[in-house]
Amino acid sequence: MDTNSLTIDGINIPRSNHPTIRKLKRKTKVQYLHGNKVWNTSLVLMDMLKDLPNVNTKILDLGCGWGLLSCYLHKKGADVTGMDTDISVKPYFDFMCEYMSVEPKFVLQDIFNEKLSLDYDVYVACDMCFWESHVEKWLDIIDHLLNNNKKLILADPGRESFWNLLELADKYGYIFTHDEHSINIGNKTSAYIVIFGEDGEV
């Protein structure tokens, strides 16, 4: 059994204890915006999206961190770009691409302070509503994307700020669906998945 990786949907994913990951941690700067590991919420969203017919779909992975979700969706056939405001995650993103034999693009951008490009069909984000200060910023992003007929998928373990975001989104009339999704990766891991868009479906 390979303790340095795990397998989801037949795709091998390096864990934080993988020798190359450990080497990168020793030689690179510390990530300052939580891009310091593979978050379980990403694994839950990957499982939820495993049957997504995303060939030729253009996806922007917001706050991509190490790029696991970007690489997974690219492996499934989508045209993916990972976006993060922390350049120190780039070596990990590059390693994930090499390890999983894919080539998603990487863009350095602060999603909260710069308007998102509308060149994509679907926008995804995991663990990106950490603080209450993020709620209004996410509402601005939701408004920007939905007013241009885009889809947004958010995944979160259930932080208070996340629920406050959904409460305000409902108050302002944004159309969305949400549900809890669970996987078993040695232990049960759950996250809440919300899809913003006209029909609440991808």
Side-chain angles (χ1 to χ4, degrees), residues 33-34 39 41 61-65 83-85 109-112 124-131 133-135 137-138 141 153-157 159 161-162 165:
L33 288 172
H34 305 295
W39 291 84
T41 304
D61 180 8
L62 304 171
C64 64
M83 177 178 287
D84 206 284
T85 189
Q109 180 178 323
D110 185 339
I111 72 167
F112 292 136
V124 297
C126 294
D127 284 287
M128 285 291 290
C129 194
F130 272 91
W131 303 301
S133 61
H134 287 159
V135 172
K137 295 178 179 180
W138 269 114
I141 291 174
I153 304 172
L154 297 181
D156 192 272
R159 298 181 181 87
S161 53
F162 174 76
L165 170 62

Side-chain angles (χ1 to χ4, degrees), residues 2 55-56 76 109 115 154-155 178 186:
D2 183 3
V55 176
N56 297 323
K76 298 291 287 184
Q109 180 178 323
K115 280 288 187 184
L154 297 181
H178 71 86

Side-chain angles (χ1 to χ4, degrees), residues 7-196:
T7 302
I8 291 183
D9 194 23
I11 298 173
N12 289 327
I13 300 163
R15 296 179 183 267
S16 295
N17 63 347
H18 188 282
T20 302
I21 295 290
R22 293 170 64 185
K23 182 178 179 180
L24 285 171
K25 286 186 175 183
R26 289 194 299 268
K27 68 183 290 189
T28 59
K29 294 180 180 179
V30 176
Q31 298 77 42
Y32 66 93
L33 288 172
H34 305 295
N36 58 347
K37 64 180 180 179
V38 169
W39 291 84
N40 284 342
T41 304
S42 298
L43 303 176
V44 175
L45 184 56
M46 285 166 49
D47 186 73
M48 197 276 283
L49 294 176
K50 65 185 179 183
D51 297 321
L52 177 67
N54 56 23
V55 176
N56 297 323
T57 299
K58 293 190 69 175
I59 298 177
L60 184 61
D61 180 8
L62 304 171
C64 64
W66 288 8
L68 171 61
L69 183 60
S70 298
C71 291
Y72 175 80
L73 292 172
H74 193 276
K75 192 88 171 176
K76 298 291 287 184
D79 179 358
V80 186
T81 297
M83 177 178 287
D84 206 284
T85 189
D86 186 355
I87 191 58
S88 63
V89 302
K90 185 62 164 55
Y92 299 85
F93 187 96
D94 292 342
F95 169 65
M96 284 286 183
C97 292
E98 179 182 357
Y99 188 91
M100 298 173 71
S101 301
V102 291
E103 295 182 341
K105 296 174 283 293
F106 180 88
V107 173
L108 184 67
Q109 180 178 323
D110 185 339
I111 72 167
F112 292 136
N113 292 320
E114 300 176 57
K115 280 288 187 184
L116 293 176
S117 166
L118 296 171
D119 292 338
Y120 303 89
D121 306 306
V122 179
Y123 299 72
V124 297
C126 294
D127 284 287
M128 285 291 290
C129 194
F130 272 91
W131 303 301
E132 193 64 28
S133 61
H134 287 159
V135 172
E136 289 293 336
K137 295 178 179 180
W138 269 114
L139 288 172
D140 288 341
I141 291 174
I142 292 167
D143 188 70
H144 174 58
L145 296 180
L146 268 59
N147 282 339
N148 288 280
N149 300 312
K150 303 297 181 179
K151 298 287 185 181
L152 172 64
I153 304 172
L154 297 181
D156 192 272
R159 298 181 181 87
E160 183 177 357
S161 53
F162 174 76
W163 293 118
N164 290 342
L165 170 62
L166 296 193
E167 183 177 352
L168 285 173
D170 183 55
K171 176 182 176 181
Y172 295 147
Y174 297 117
I175 297 174
F176 64 90
T177 60
H178 71 86
D179 198 5
E180 183 178 14
H181 191 79
S182 301
I183 60 173
N184 193 323
I185 52 173
N187 59 305
K188 185 178 179 181
T189 299
S190 298
Y192 297 92
I193 314 295
V194 56
I195 302 175
F196 289 90

